[in-house]
Every structure is written in C-alpha cells, then in structure tokens.
Amino acid sequence: MRAKRFRTKRLWYNSIAWLYGSAVLLVLGVIGLFSTGDLRYVHISILVALVGMGVAWSRDRQRESIYLVDRSALILRRSGRLKRIAISDIIDASLVERSAARNYIVEQVSNGSDDPYQGDPKERMAEFVRYCSVDIGLSSYTFGLGRRVIDRLPKAKNDLVLVRTRSGQDRLLSPLYNQDFVESLSRAMRQHTAATD
C-alpha cells in the first residue's frame, strides 16, 4: 500500500456563531440608542462584537496538520511535531461529531488513573486534539452558548475522526476527506492483520 496523505480541514464555526452573536449585540445597541438617546450603547456593542470576532477567528485559525497513512503507521505532523502510531496499535477509527468527541475526551481525562499522558487535565485534553484543526469547544468564552449553536449546525455532524489505540493514546483528527481517511486506515489495518496471520 502506497502512503496516502491527508490535509486537515479548516472550519469557521466559531466565527459563524460569533457573527450571529454580533448581530444580536448590534440590535441591542440600537435599541439602547433609541430608548436612551445615548450613542455609547452602539459603540460598546460594536467594540464587543469586534473583540469577540477576533477571538473567534483566532480559535478557528488553528495550524494545519498533515496525516500520512501507510502499511505500517499513521504519521501525524503539525508545525515541526511528529507523532507515529503503529498500525498494529490502532484499535479502530470512527467518525464522530463534536459533542460526542468532547464528552469522550472529558470522560477519558476524568477517569485517567492509567492515563498515558499524565499531568495537568488541560494538557491531557490538549494532547487528544493536538493534531486536530477543528475547535471542538473544550474551553468556551461564551459560557457554552456558542458551543450549543455550533453543535447544532448541520455541517458540524461527523466532521471528526476518533482514532483509538491499544496504548490508550487516542487522537481526535480532522481530515479534509474524513470518510476516505477512515477507509484508508481500515484498509491498512486489514492488510497488516492479513500479513501477520
């Protein structure tokens, strides 16, 4: 099997959610202007909308990763970091939606007595998503409101891949062509199993 290369997708869910929020803020600013005659309400709503948009854009603009699938390993690369996962170590790869991925990671970190990552829970969560370019909302600046809006977007379903391993170092990935990625990984696992039998 020839090595197959996959790029990560870039989704702008936080920015889209914040656009909706900005529209609401601007309407509230205009209502404040008409009810009090004070222009500061509009200025404050514009300022908050711009700051929020900047934060949302920076969260959506995660660095891109590259995934290579060959007959012996899954290789993950992101800005100078390289992680090699042997095909023999992979249990399965499945499509997962953001909320399920978030719940899985939180559950794994909170159970984590035999956690291979060890250390601070935030660092362990970051390790799960290190090679994922999609913000799944592990931390929220909107007290969960933006996360709920994003989770309900029709395109937010099944855009991630959870790779589970025997060593417990599971990874959440975001390949551009997720179905093709899962099929390539499954094919490599079948070929590896056939070669070892």
Side-chain angles (χ1 to χ4, degrees):
M1 175 181 165
R2 203 169 45 109
K4 206 161 181 193
R5 177 184 163 128
F6 295 89
R7 284 186 13 246
T8 50
K9 61 179 69 175
R10 190 167 306 276
L11 301 174
W12 301 96
Y13 291 154
N14 289 310
S15 301
I16 291 167
W18 192 253
L19 278 175
Y20 292 134
S22 296
V24 171
L25 281 172
L26 291 175
V27 167
L28 291 174
V30 169
I31 290 171
L33 170 67
F34 286 133
S35 60
T36 64
D38 192 350
L39 196 59
R40 282 184 293 183
Y41 289 106
V42 174
H43 291 155
I44 290 170
S45 64
I46 290 172
L47 180 66
V48 170
L50 288 174
V51 168
M53 198 64 202
V55 171
W57 181 78
S58 70
R59 289 188 71 164
D60 282 338
R61 213 184 123 262
Q62 301 288 334
R63 279 175 288 223
E64 191 174 57
S65 295
I66 301 291
Y67 312 138
L68 291 169
V69 178
D70 68 19
R71 73 180 78 209
S72 63
L74 167 62
I75 299 164
L76 311 172
R77 189 176 73 212
R78 177 179 178 179
S79 58
R81 280 195 131 134
L82 197 68
K83 174 75 177 168
R84 187 178 191 280
I85 302 172
I87 292 294
S88 59
D89 188 35
I90 296 174
I91 297 171
D92 64 16
S94 54
L95 297 176
V96 65
E97 55 187 52
R98 283 170 40 104
S99 58
R102 191 168 52 243
N103 293 340
Y104 178 81
I105 291 170
V106 169
E107 180 183 314
Q108 292 299 310
V109 168
S110 61
N111 287 351
S113 58
D114 58 341
D115 184 8
Y117 300 125
Q118 298 303 322
D120 178 55
K122 284 188 177 185
E123 288 175 20
R124 292 185 297 181
M125 284 186 190
E127 198 59 40
F128 271 97
V129 295
R130 183 167 310 285
Y131 299 95
C132 180
S133 62
V134 175
D135 177 17
I136 65 166
L138 286 172
S139 60
S140 177
Y141 299 122
T142 60
F143 308 106
L145 295 174
R147 184 168 42 209
R148 280 190 216 108
V149 169
I150 293 169
D151 286 348
R152 290 191 177 118
L153 290 173
K155 290 187 176 181
K157 306 288 185 196
N158 298 335
D159 54 8
L160 302 167
V161 175
L162 177 64
V163 176
R164 294 186 315 131
T165 63
R166 288 177 177 78
S167 62
Q169 294 189 8
D170 302 349
R171 298 289 174 166
L172 189 66
L173 306 177
S174 54
L176 185 57
Y177 301 107
N178 51 13
Q179 190 70 45
D180 192 23
F181 176 79
V182 169
E183 288 171 9
S184 296
L185 204 49
S186 298
R187 191 177 318 115
M189 291 165 64
R190 282 192 307 269
Q191 289 176 354
H192 182 269
T193 304
T196 55
D197 286 347

